[in-house]
Amino acid sequence: MKSHKIILPIYNEAQKFASLGEKILKNGSVLIGRVPHVGQYAYLHEIYSPLKKNELIALEKRLNRKIPSCLLDFYSECNGLKYFSDVLSLDGCRISSGRSLEDAYQPYDLMDSNIHERIEDADEDIFFFGGYDWDGSRVYVRDEIDTIFFCGPDSVAPLKKWSD
């Protein structure tokens, strides 16, 4: 993770909980901070291995759109994450539909928020890439705009926005 400029600050914060347990999966995903009171195989933080170039291309084909340029570097470092027992999740590409324990550790699929469960008032240039589990709010970017927007579960009207 040392060469990952975008994900490194998140990884370093998550590492504060490494004393609770850490596991690196065969695919390179990192699980940090076991929380057995939540579930036998539960972790506070799940950071998924990066997407390869061919996986990014295949994802864009599935989404029938380009991934906004401001997110390409993120996905080349990390295929999404779940932070603090899924309070904040950044979606990615579900690679496998297998039934092994390792196959269970995958991000929420970008297809869901951008296709299957897309907010009705979302313009075509909106790309959803995350959200909060406690209220169903979502995080998105717009094509050609380097701003991150935060909205409720039913409307893309921004409640907050950040410049990066």
Side-chain angles (χ1 to χ4, degrees), residues 115-130:
I115 307 284
H116 307 301
E117 300 168 5
R118 190 170 180 83
I119 295 175
E120 284 186 30
D121 65 346
D123 294 333
E124 286 184 27
D125 73 328
I126 288 178
F127 188 86
F128 296 100
F129 70 98

Side-chain angles (χ1 to χ4, degrees), residues 3 12 27 43 47 62 76 78 111 135 156 158:
S3 66
N12 287 341
N27 68 8
Y43 286 83
I47 302 173
R62 284 181 50 222
S76 67
C78 167
M111 291 288 293
D135 68 352
V156 295

Side-chain angles (χ1 to χ4, degrees), residues 20 31 33-44 46 85 101 105:
L20 299 174
L31 312 175
R34 280 196 72 230
V35 284
H37 62 282
V38 174
Q40 182 178 358
Y41 302 108
Y43 286 83
L44 269 177
E46 300 176 16
S85 292
L101 181 58
Y105 296 110

Side-chain angles (χ1 to χ4, degrees), residues 5-18:
K5 294 177 185 173
I6 297 168
I7 197 67
L8 187 60
I10 295 169
Y11 176 78
N12 287 341
E13 283 298 310
Q15 277 293 293
K16 293 177 181 177
F17 299 91

Side-chain angles (χ1 to χ4, degrees), residues 97-118:
S97 59
R99 294 183 179 266
S100 74
L101 181 58
E102 286 206 5
D103 287 333
Y105 296 110
Q106 293 189 66
Y108 294 119
D109 201 319
L110 288 163
M111 291 288 293
D112 293 336
S113 57
N114 285 289
I115 307 284
H116 307 301
E117 300 168 5
R118 190 170 180 83

